[in-house]
């Protein structure tokens, strides 16, 4: 059934197709950062295959700009780029300007819904495919399909959690909107199969499961490369990703303190995070007398440069914390995919579904998210050369086909 559904939605992709892609990005000083909603992979896949792609890129609330950015691609080339000026949604814009530290804001959701409707009428064409990366985008897409502006609606889900906002009215609306989108969109693309399981447990009609397709995260071919084990930095760990508490970067530093007693020359290489987050972790490292063992690279916009650092290390760590409300229980884990693509054995906790899968496949070992158990895992991987080589070979094997082209085909 899943293969039949995927074949059905792929039939709309041809040289005459018109695609409307609504997504989001983080912007700083007028530049789009790599922290965005699949813009590069979607464009790389679709540009050679369709007639037109209309991209609505709405700045994430943590950005330093508010006005949505529009890009129009024809026959594989960018022909127009412009903003939806604040005057077109001025009352909503004023609402967005109200200071807030929240990353989910009603004002921005209203902006996003309006932007989809506004843009669909501004460009006048009827689109064969609408891909929305947020429920509110898809809600607008379903309305546009109803009035004949769109043929097929795809709900692209990058993260999901049944208790994302706790026991609040906002969480009730979030769950309602997600279920409505799964029910009324033509297809749902989930980055993790655990998302569908969570929805079914929450009461989703099982008959709707046939419209849900697992569309895993992936990498570009030049991000998949390996160094010989002898060329990697001896006794080195690498952590790649944001530095939120539930991702476990601080926890990893505490685990390092235990591991350094057995492996004095061990190092932890941390890629990512804001300056504020890095300063907090640097203080943790100083307090534990690990300044020389923990190396911070900051956020690296260039994926190839980031991948080069990852593949120079020995072990990739995914120290996700087992917090009950974390959406990591149901999401994908991009860091694990990059570790595998670098040929690195992975040390993971039991939280991420992908971590459990690659452990089963033989490219990772799993440990509890306790300092002692995780540090024991570090010592085991770095101390057992036979095990290390076995896991490294399996990592290379698993990653070779994990490309965006294969994901979307």
């Amino acid at each position: 059934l899943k293969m039949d559904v995927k074949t059905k939605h792929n039939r709309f992709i041809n040289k005459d197709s018109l695609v409307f892609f609504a997504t989001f990005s983080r912007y700083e000083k007028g530049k789009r950062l790599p922290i965005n909603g699949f813009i590069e992979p979607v464009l790389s896949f679709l540009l050679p295959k369709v007639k037109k792609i209309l991209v609505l890129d709405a700045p994430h609330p943590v950005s330093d700009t508010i006005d949505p950015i529009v890009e129009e691609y024809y026959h594989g080339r960018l022909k127009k780029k412009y903003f939806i000026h604040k005057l077109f949604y001025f009352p909503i814009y004023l609402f967005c300007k109200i200071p807030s530290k929240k990353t989910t804001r009603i004002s921005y959701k209203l902006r996003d819904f309006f932007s989809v409707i506004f843009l669909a009428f501004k460009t006048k064409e009827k689109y064969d495919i609408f891909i929305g990366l947020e429920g509110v985008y898809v809600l607008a897409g379903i309305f546009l399909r109803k009035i004949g502006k769109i043929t097929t609606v795809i709900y692209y889900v990058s993260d999901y959690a049944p208790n994302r906002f706790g026991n609040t009215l906002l969480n009730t609306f979030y769950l309602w909107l997600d279920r409505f989108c799964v029910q009324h969109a033509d297809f749902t693309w989930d980055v993790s199969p655990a998302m569908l399981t969570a929805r079914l447990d929450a009461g989703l009609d099982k008959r709707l499961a046939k419209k849900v397709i697992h569309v895993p995260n992936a990498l570009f071919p030049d991000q998949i490369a390996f160094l010989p084990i002898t060329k990697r930095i001896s006794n080195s760990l690498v952590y790649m990703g944001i530095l939120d508490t539930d991702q476990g970067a601080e926890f990893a530093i505490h685990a390092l303190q235990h591991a350094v007693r057995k492996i004095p020359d061990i190092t932890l290489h941390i890629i990512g995070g804001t300056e504020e987050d890095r300063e907090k972790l640097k203080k943790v490292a100083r307090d534990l007398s690990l300044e020389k063992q923990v190396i911070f690279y900051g956020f690296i916009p260039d994926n190839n440069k980031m991948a080069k650092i990852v593949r120079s290390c020995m072990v990739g760590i995914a120290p996700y914390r087992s917090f009950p409300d974390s959406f990591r229980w149901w999401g994908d884990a991009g860091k694990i995919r990059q570790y595998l693509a670098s040929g690195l054995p992975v040390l993971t906790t039991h939280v991420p579904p992908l971590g459990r899968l690659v452990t089963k496949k033989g490219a990772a070992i799993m440990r509890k998210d306790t300092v002692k158990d995780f540090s024991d895992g570090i010592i085991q991987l770095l101390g057992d050369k036979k095990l290390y080589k076995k896991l490294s070979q399996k990592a290379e094997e698993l990653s070779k086909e994990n490309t965006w082209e294969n994901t979307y085909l």
Side-chain angles (χ1 to χ4, degrees):
L1 272 177
K2 291 293 179 66
M3 185 57 68
D4 289 343
V5 170
K6 198 160 188 178
T7 301
K8 184 178 178 182
H9 82 58
N10 275 338
R11 80 169 189 261
F12 294 104
I13 300 174
N14 58 63
K15 61 182 179 64
D16 296 317
S17 297
L18 305 181
V19 180
F20 188 156
F21 179 38
T23 184
F24 63 88
S25 297
R26 180 175 175 178
Y27 279 82
E28 285 185 4
K29 299 177 181 179
K31 292 184 178 181
R32 179 164 61 212
L33 300 181
I35 304 173
N36 62 61
F38 301 110
I39 290 179
E40 290 83 4
V42 168
L43 288 180
S44 70
F45 178 76
L46 289 177
L47 282 177
K49 300 176 177 65
V50 302
K51 180 180 180 180
K52 176 184 177 180
I53 305 177
L54 176 67
V55 177
L56 171 64
D57 186 18
H60 189 276
V62 300
S63 302
D64 56 9
T65 185
I66 297 175
D67 290 344
I69 295 90
V70 181
E71 297 173 354
E72 296 187 28
Y73 295 84
Y74 291 87
H75 301 292
R77 295 185 177 182
L78 177 62
K79 294 296 184 179
K80 295 181 182 178
K81 183 174 180 178
Y82 51 92
F83 297 89
I84 297 178
H85 197 276
K86 60 181 68 68
L87 291 179
F88 289 104
Y89 66 105
F90 194 65
I92 299 174
Y93 172 80
L94 293 177
F95 194 15
C96 292
K97 288 286 288 182
I98 298 173
S100 174
K101 293 184 178 180
K102 295 180 179 179
T103 56
T104 299
R105 299 174 59 183
I106 299 300
S107 55
Y108 279 76
K109 300 301 181 184
L110 293 173
R111 177 205 62 180
D112 298 344
F113 183 87
F114 166 82
S115 299
V116 171
I117 304 297
F118 173 82
L119 200 54
F121 282 96
K122 178 184 181 298
T123 55
K124 298 180 181 179
E125 293 145 312
K126 178 178 179 178
Y127 291 89
D128 301 291
I129 302 173
F130 176 88
I131 304 172
L133 202 68
E134 292 276 347
V136 70
Y137 287 139
V138 176
L139 188 64
I142 291 168
F143 168 74
L144 292 171
R145 184 187 61 191
K146 183 75 174 177
I147 63 174
K149 293 288 289 180
I150 285 170
T151 302
T152 300
V153 176
I154 295 173
Y155 176 32
Y156 198 165
V157 188
S158 60
D159 57 63
Y160 171 83
N163 51 357
R164 183 167 187 168
F165 300 104
N167 187 24
T168 64
L169 184 62
L170 179 60
N171 199 66
T172 300
F173 176 74
Y174 163 76
L175 293 176
W176 173 86
L177 180 59
D178 176 80
R179 187 173 300 184
F180 181 88
C181 291
V182 172
Q183 180 177 354
H184 294 282
D186 296 281
F187 308 102
T188 296
W189 290 358
D190 281 348
V191 301
S192 169
M195 294 175 176
L196 177 58
T197 302
R199 290 195 191 96
L200 292 172
D201 290 344
L204 180 72
D205 189 333
K206 292 181 179 179
R207 292 172 295 181
L208 296 175
K210 66 183 181 182
K211 298 199 300 179
V212 179
I213 303 167
H214 178 211
V215 182
N217 290 330
L219 299 157
F220 293 106
D222 53 5
Q223 290 178 266
I224 304 174
F226 321 110
L227 281 179
I229 293 174
T230 56
K231 298 290 185 181
R232 299 172 189 175
I233 301 169
S234 178
N235 293 329
S236 59
L237 313 173
V238 62
Y239 172 98
M240 183 205 80
I242 60 176
L243 305 181
D244 290 352
T245 305
D246 63 346
Q247 296 251 8
E250 180 177 345
F251 164 76
I253 296 175
H254 286 279
L256 183 72
Q257 184 190 29
H258 283 248
V260 76
R261 297 167 187 169
K262 291 286 184 71
I263 311 173
D265 65 339
I266 193 172
T267 53
L268 170 60
H269 302 252
I270 297 180
I271 304 170
T274 65
E275 183 176 353
E276 181 182 358
D277 290 336
R278 292 195 301 275
E279 288 303 317
K280 289 179 181 177
L281 292 186
K282 286 179 181 179
K283 183 180 185 304
V284 172
R286 285 195 302 271
D287 291 345
L288 297 176
S289 301
L290 295 173
E291 301 101 315
K292 294 181 179 179
Q293 280 79 19
V294 185
I295 298 98
F296 293 89
Y297 294 85
F299 175 69
I300 302 175
D302 188 315
N303 285 327
N304 291 328
K305 290 181 180 178
M306 175 271 296
K308 185 177 180 181
I309 295 171
V310 172
R311 74 175 67 103
S312 71
C313 296
M314 291 288 289
V315 174
I317 61 170
Y320 293 96
R321 308 306 309 279
S322 56
F323 300 151
D325 295 338
S326 173
F327 62 82
R328 311 297 176 187
W329 293 100
W330 299 277
D332 198 42
K335 58 168 59 65
I336 293 179
R337 293 188 183 277
Q338 183 59 68
Y339 299 156
L340 297 177
S342 304
L344 304 190
V346 177
L347 175 60
T348 180
T349 64
H350 61 292
V351 174
L354 183 61
R356 299 194 292 272
L357 176 63
V358 297
T359 300
K360 185 177 180 180
K361 293 285 186 180
I365 64 171
M366 188 186 303
R367 289 291 180 266
K368 296 176 184 177
D369 67 327
T370 65
V371 168
K372 184 181 186 307
D373 205 45
F374 203 78
S375 63
D376 286 347
I378 293 171
I379 294 166
Q380 180 186 7
L381 270 180
L382 292 178
D384 189 334
K385 292 183 179 180
K386 185 177 179 181
L387 174 66
Y388 181 91
K389 184 177 180 180
K390 180 182 176 182
L391 269 61
S392 182
Q393 290 173 341
K394 196 64 179 181
E396 293 182 16
E397 179 186 323
L398 291 176
S399 68
K400 286 180 179 177
E401 301 302 319
N402 187 206
T403 64
W404 287 111
E405 187 75 13
N406 289 335
T407 281
Y408 292 131
L409 278 176

